[in-house]
């Protein structure tokens, strides 16, 4: 039963002519599915509606080929031909009683039109933001009228498809109406430039057009960035942000407010706490009688209630918490708060859009797999046999496999060498800024705790003989080796295919040693050929412990892959603030006693760093000896009654935590129906021909 303290979250909210059945609102978010994978898009949004979100939004939906995001995959509503695809999403959302919202948008000079090859246009003459060798031309009055007409048409088509809420998008410094407001962008001298009143005119017109076109049936949402966090160079909540809200206070039926850029709006847990947007957006609700929705990676119902009661927000907006747990609202409603799969704030979900691949999530392995694999985040097939499973290793892959097999009804025993479960997540969540990652372990242990058929044994390092004995003793038929990986000690990685040449004398460690608590001081070089977060958090933890640190990377940017999680600039800034020297585009040529000789990756010029220690963050090596010991001894397996030995997660191929969780989950789903590798293992979506 629902805790009465949370009743307020289940009150209906009127949004113009439509009513949301509770206060949970999935704000627009991209997912790498969009117009290319429309069935996957529909199934994924429908799952959120099923999970209790009263409003479920699309991602950005392009309204014209003159403003398109290719190769990135968003929604598309250029003409009637696109309606069938979007209609599926609206229908899937409606099937579960939620309101369907559509974020139609023109992105002005922010989009490069790489597919349509139409020249980009913007509020003023301007270079395309994304380092394309191209510029946008300044819109004429006729162009402004054209965009208004396209927007109106898209709104009418949205209404025709049954969407209940139609957006006017003016956020993130990505949307054309925001560019008009921005004095940095808007250099116009006509009635659309100059004073704030003039700069707001285009947005005001779009709001009026949209209301006129569809306001009888649809709620009009205005998504607006109140602060860009760049001071007077951009929108600031205390001055123009507030003035715009004052001017347009009653124009929309709901305000969807946030901060920008996207890396600030979707700040990771390493850089921002739950509710982090409140200090910027709280003023909006005081200036309008219309409901306000906002985000802040909300996963705690108490924090949500507090937002409502204090009048900060009327609806709890969420992108990432709804990805990590599409059933978050219904779990609160049914009193299962402890079962919420809380977002860890890692932005692996964002990386899907950035790398142009379907969405994935660290916490929710079913995300993006609703259509093509038919996975449901809360349902799983019953066991097909009474076979029992031994899982060696309680890292993310082992725990996910144990939990999911357990839910299916299989008897599962987990043996973990350490005195704690969690594997790499246990260790990494103790590094600076990563404590929220602990949720990956806590959620799974909490669920396993409820299953009588899953036992976890700590202090249980197993070798081949012990596995065989254990299997016989407990009548186990299947062994899963989830023993993870260790950081390489020779520096082998992307750049070095052979061990880095070295003299004795230099103290060389790996990220594992630092995480194990080995204390080192003096000048330490961290060599990062991994390029995700680890090099930077290891550097940060060494500085926190009093060392002087230089971070060397062969890439052009420190932690270069974190551009995909929107963290790169935040990481670089933090390392700078901590006094960490960064040497980019250099590899290690050799290591002498107290000296590290670096070589520029292009010019081959050398430089020398005097240091006491070198910490390597390069490749990881699977801990797979147990797997091979077992797999190579068919007779012993037979004798012990073991039918299968499988390695999963990092023990097979080291990757992200998300990949380990996914592999553990897929293993559990396919346990009694192993994938046929001669067939495509999921449903595909073909382009109509
Ligand atoms: P993954 O990401 O694939 O889940 P991790 O490295 O996070 O991998 O976790 C692997 C876990 O397996 C660690 O907790 C480690 O202590 C445990 N482990 C490794 N070898 C053994 C073994 N022989 N017996 C029991 N546990 C083991
Ligand atoms: Fe949250 Fe990470 Fe999942 Fe995104 S990928 S929803 S940030 S847990």
């Amino acid at each position: 039963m629902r805790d009465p303290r949370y009743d307020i979250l289940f009150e209906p909210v009127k949004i113009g002519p439509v009513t949301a059945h509770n206060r949970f609102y999935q704000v627009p978010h991209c997912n790498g599915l969009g117009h290319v994978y429309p069935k996957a898009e529909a199934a994924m949004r429908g799952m959120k509606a099923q999970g209790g979100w009263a409003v479920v939004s699309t991602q950005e939906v392009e309204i014209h080929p003159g403003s398109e995001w290719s190769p990135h995959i968003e929604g598309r509503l250029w003409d009637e031909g696109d309606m069938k695809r979007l209609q599926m999403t609206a229908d899937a959302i409606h099937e579960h009683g939620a309101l369907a919202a559509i974020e139609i948008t023109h992105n002005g000079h922010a989009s490069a039109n790489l597919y349509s090859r139409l020249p980009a246009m913007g509020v003023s003459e301007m270079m395309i933001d994304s380092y394309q060798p191209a510029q946008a031309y300044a819109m004429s009055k006729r162009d402004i009228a054209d965009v208004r007409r396209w927007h109106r048409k898209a709104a009418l088509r949205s209404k025709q498809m049954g969407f209940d809420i139609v957006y006017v998008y003016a956020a993130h410094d990505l949307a054309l109406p925001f560019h008009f407001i921005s004095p940095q962008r808007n250099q116009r001298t006509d009635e659309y430039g100059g004073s704030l009143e003039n700069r707001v005119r285009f947005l005001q017109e779009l709001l009026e057009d949209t209301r006129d076109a569809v306001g009888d049936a649809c709620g009009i949402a205005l998504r607006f960035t109140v602060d860009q966090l760049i001071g007077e160079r951009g929108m600031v909540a205390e001055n123009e942000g507030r003035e715009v809200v004052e001017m347009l206070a009653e124009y929309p039926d709901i305000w969807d407010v946030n901060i920008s850029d996207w890396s600030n709006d979707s700040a990771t847990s390493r850089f921002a706490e739950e509710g982090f947007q409140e200090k910027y957006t709280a003023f909006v609700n005081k200036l309008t009688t219309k409901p306000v929705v906002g985000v802040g990676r909300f996963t705690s119902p108490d924090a949500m209630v507090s937002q409502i009661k204090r009048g900060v927000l009327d609806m709890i907006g969420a992108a990432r918490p709804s990805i990590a747990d599409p059933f978050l609202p219904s779990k609160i409603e049914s009193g299962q708060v402890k079962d919420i799969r809380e977002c860890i704030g890692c932005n692996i979900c964002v990386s899907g859009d950035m790398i142009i691949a379907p969405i994935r999530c660290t916490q929710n392995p079913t995300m993006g797999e609703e259509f093509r694999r038919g996975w449901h985040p809360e349902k799983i097939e019953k066991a097909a046999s009474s076979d029992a499973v031994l899982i060696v290793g309680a890292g993310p892959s082992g725990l996910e496999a144990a939990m999911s097999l357990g839910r299916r009804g299989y008897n599962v025993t987990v043996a973990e060498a350490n005195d704690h479960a969690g594997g790499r997540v246990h260790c990494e969540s103790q590094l600076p800024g990563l404590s929220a990652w602990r949720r990956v372990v806590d959620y799974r242990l909490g669920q396993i705790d409820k299953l009588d058929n899953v036992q976890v044994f700590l202090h249980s390092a197993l070798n081949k003989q012990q596995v065989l004995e254990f299997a016989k003793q407990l009548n186990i038929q299947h062994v899963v080796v989830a023993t993870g990986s260790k950081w390489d000690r020779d520096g082998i990685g992307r750049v070095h295919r052979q061990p880095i040449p070295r003299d004795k004398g230099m103290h060389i460690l790996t990220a594992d040693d630092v995480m194990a608590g080995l204390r080192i001081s003096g000048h330490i070089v961290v060599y990062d050929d991994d390029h995700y977060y680890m090099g930077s958090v290891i550097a940060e933890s060494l500085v926190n412990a009093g060392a002087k640190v230089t971070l060397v990377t062969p890439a052009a940017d420190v932690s270069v892959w974190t551009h995909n999680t929107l963290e790169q600039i935040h990481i670089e800034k933090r390392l700078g603030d901590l006094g960490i020297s960064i040497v980019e585009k250099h590899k290690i040529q050799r290591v002498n006693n107290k000296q590290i000789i670096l070589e520029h990756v292009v010019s081959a010029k050398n430089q020398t760093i005097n240091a006491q220690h070198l910490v390597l963050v390069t490749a990881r090596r699977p801990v797979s000896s147990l797997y091979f010991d077992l797999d190579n001894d068919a007779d012993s397996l037979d004798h012990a009654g073991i039918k299968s030995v499988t390695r999963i997660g990092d023990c097979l191929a080291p990757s992200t935590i998300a990949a380990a969780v996914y592999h553990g989950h897929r293993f559990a789903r396919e346990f009694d129906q192993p994938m046929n590798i001669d067939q495509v293992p999921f449903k595909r979506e073909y382009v109509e021909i």
Side-chain angles (χ1 to χ4, degrees), residues 585-598:
K585 286 196 172 179
H586 280 79
K587 61 183 179 180
I588 298 180
Q589 191 187 64
R590 69 169 297 111
V591 179
N592 294 335
N593 187 13
K594 308 286 178 239
Q595 272 190 339
I596 296 166
I597 319 295
L598 303 182

Side-chain angles (χ1 to χ4, degrees), residues 391-399 415-428 457 459-463 466-467 481-486 620 623 625-626 648-657 659-661:
I391 298 178
V392 186
S397 65
L399 287 179
E416 165 56 50
N418 278 317
D419 60 357
H420 53 258
R424 62 180 287 198
V425 176
H426 172 89
C427 305
E428 292 177 25
F457 294 97
H459 303 286
S460 304
L462 300 185
N463 58 28
Q466 289 163 317
V467 168
V481 185
T483 46
S485 63
K486 293 280 172 218
R620 281 180 288 148
V623 179
S625 55
L626 175 62
I648 62 169
D650 291 351
C651 170
L652 176 69
S655 181
T656 57
I657 298 166
V661 169

